[in-house]
């Protein structure tokens, strides 16, 4: 109880905060809603777990009542909430009756920010299902793992090839596991081919297993499969690295936008690397012929005369067909999804973007941007002094050698805290505190589920909710626990 009171006290001192809730089913088949808050204290943003709450429904109205009831119970001012961070489920993110829409009626300043990691996962989901060849590739990766892992004998044959990385299964929700699966396949590609070659002629296997090995081997020897393995290995590795950084507490809205924008630029740059991927693919397999080279081209009917039919119709085959209809389509879909899903973060960041570029703006531009920011947060910022204060802030930064060009939000706030400048630049401090308190991901909630599985396991499924919350709080916030003095 003392630890929870400390967090609540810190939250009230910090004033501005964001909330994040998510649910999962525990070992006793109880639906648990995790409640996480983010606020700025001692010059940095922190995310704290508060409690698991038993829920029986998932509709927006019910969740809204649970969240508001929890905040009121602990005396946390709803008017000080400046951000809501949930996943992209309709009951959470719905703009009409979702949790975020209902909560925004109570507190209009509490902007909704969809979990950036979940959005990044959805980028992969939609991009990998935009063409049948891409769907077939990921089905092959999963089918390969299922076939080899279904039998200890087959798995042992694979291990006898001294494979460097163990093959892994795909996961429909965690795309970091897809990155690991594709990477393991790419690193062990020749060894997997050798394994399947042995198994398809192995008389100790039944005919059905031999046939499956033969089909998988045929797929492995296709240059399209090899090409996509190399391509997706590079793309998923970048997406996984980006997602890992986004999940950190130190990541804020500006970092989220920069990472997603840079990832979009990186993906677009891959359009010129087709020949490189093809050359790498030819090193792994002996064939250089694309599947469509051996297929008869479809005859296009010209029975209806039309001026547009006067020229010959272009029919793509082989390399060009794969390049245009699969590779370019995958690149374009990835780029479009990244652009679309990062738009909400860019729109919100535009409120504060002038602070990041303040050293490059003239005084007039700074004054207009500061006054516009005050319109979004009229209860928090002083409209009479905000313009001149930000101009003064620019002058201060310009004489500091450590700050040149773009301003790093986290570093500048920590610097102001260490130098005790908050009384000089009050509006600047409040603006930065609001920005840093906005939660760009719901990763902390996901991490609390891992602790939930450890605490309420199959041997301890009947513990009370109070006991579960006490154990969970001690386990999840153990670093803060160590700072408490229990001597009276």
């Amino acid at each position: 109880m003392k630890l929870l009171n400390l967090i609540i006290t810190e939250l009230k001192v910090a004033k501005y905060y964001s909330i994040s809730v998510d649910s999962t089913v525990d070992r006793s088949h109880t639906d648990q809603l995790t409640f996480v808050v983010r606020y700025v204290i001692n010059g940095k943003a922190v995310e704290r777990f508060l409690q698991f709450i038993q829920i029986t429904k998932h509709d927006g109205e019910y969740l809204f009542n649970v969240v508001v009831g929890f905040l009121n119970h602990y005396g946390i001012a709803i008017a000080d909430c400046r951000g809501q961070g949930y996943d992209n489920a309709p009951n959470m993110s719905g703009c009409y009756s979702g949790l975020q829409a209902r909560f925004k009626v109570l507190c209009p300043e509490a902007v909704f920010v969809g979990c950036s990691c979940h959005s990044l996962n959805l980028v992969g989901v939609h991009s990998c299902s935009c063409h049948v060849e891409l769907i077939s590739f990921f089905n092959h990766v999963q089918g390969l793992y299922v076939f080899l892992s279904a039998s200890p004998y087959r798995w042992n044959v694979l291990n006898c090839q001294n494979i460097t990385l163990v093959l892994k299964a795909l996961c429909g929700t965690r795309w970091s596991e897809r990155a690991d699966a594709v990477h393991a396949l790419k690193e062990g590609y020749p060894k997997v081919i050798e394994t399947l070659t042995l198994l398809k002629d192995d008389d100790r296997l039944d005919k059905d297993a031999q046939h499956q090995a033969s089909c998988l081997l045929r797929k492995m020897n296709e240059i399209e499969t090899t090409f996509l393995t190399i391509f997706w290995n590079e793309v998923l590795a970048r997406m996984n690295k980006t997602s890992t950084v986004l999940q950190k507490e130190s990541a804020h809205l500006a970092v989220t936008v920069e990472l997603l924008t840079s990832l979009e630029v990186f993906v677009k740059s891959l359009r010129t690397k087709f020949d490189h991927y093809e050359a790498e693919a030819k090193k792994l397999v002996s064939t250089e012929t694309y599947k469509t080279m051996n297929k008869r081209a479809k005859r296009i009917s010209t029975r209806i005369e039309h001026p547009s039919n006067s020229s010959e119709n272009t029919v793509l085959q082989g390399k060009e067909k794969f390049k245009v209809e699969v590779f370019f389509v995958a690149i374009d879909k990835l780029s479009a999804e990244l652009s679309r899903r990062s738009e909400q973060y860019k729109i919100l960041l535009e409120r504060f973007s002038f602070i990041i570029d303040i050293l490059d703006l003239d005084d007039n531009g700074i004054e207009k941007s500061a006054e516009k920011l005050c319109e979004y947060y009229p209860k928090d910022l002083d409209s009479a002094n905000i313009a001149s204060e930000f101009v003064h802030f620019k002058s201060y930064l310009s004489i500091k050698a450590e700050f040149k060009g773009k301003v790093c939000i986290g570093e500048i706030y920590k610097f102001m805290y260490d130098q005790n400048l908050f009384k000089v630049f009050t509006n600047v401090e409040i603006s930065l505190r609001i920005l840093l308190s906005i939660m760009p991901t719901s990763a902390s909630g996901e991490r609390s589920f891992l602790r939930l599985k450890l605490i309420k396991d199959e041997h301890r499924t009947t513990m009370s909710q109070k006991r579960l919350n006490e154990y969970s709080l001690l386990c999840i916030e153990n670093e803060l626990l160590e700072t408490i003095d229990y001597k009276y």
Side-chain angles (χ1 to χ4, degrees), residues 21-35 49-59 61-70 74 449 452 456 460-470 472:
V21 297
D22 199 0
S23 65
T24 190
V25 179
D26 64 20
R27 288 282 187 176
S28 62
H29 309 289
T30 302
D31 215 345
Q32 301 282 1
L33 185 77
T34 182
F35 204 109
F49 166 81
L50 293 180
Q51 204 171 85
F52 285 118
I53 306 171
Q54 286 188 9
I55 59 174
T56 56
K57 300 178 183 178
H58 289 93
D59 60 90
E61 183 180 5
Y62 176 82
L63 293 175
F64 167 74
N65 292 330
V66 169
V67 170
V68 172
F70 178 86
Y74 287 101
F449 294 154
L452 174 63
K456 198 169 185 179
R460 293 180 293 184
T461 60
T462 58
M463 68 169 62
S464 67
Q465 190 71 14
K466 182 176 181 296
R467 186 180 182 89
L468 170 65
N469 281 321
E470 290 172 348
S472 299

Side-chain angles (χ1 to χ4, degrees), residues 297-361:
K298 292 182 179 179
R299 183 175 180 274
I300 300 177
S301 174
T302 57
R303 287 180 295 176
I304 301 176
E305 294 295 333
H306 192 274
S308 62
N309 292 332
S310 57
S311 60
E312 293 185 2
N313 292 287
T314 302
V315 179
L316 298 176
Q317 282 189 302
K319 174 180 176 178
E320 288 304 314
K321 183 178 178 66
F322 180 77
K323 182 178 181 180
V324 173
E325 297 184 2
V326 180
F327 179 67
F328 284 168
V329 167
I331 295 288
D332 293 342
K333 186 64 174 178
L334 280 166
S335 302
E337 286 292 320
L338 282 168
S339 177
R340 182 173 70 88
R341 295 190 178 277
S342 62
E343 192 64 28
Q344 64 166 316
Y345 311 110
K346 293 178 182 178
I347 292 173
L348 179 56
L349 184 63
E350 283 179 3
R351 300 181 183 182
F352 306 89
S353 59
F354 76 98
I355 306 177
I356 301 172
D357 300 317
I358 194 168
L359 292 173
D360 298 326
L361 298 175

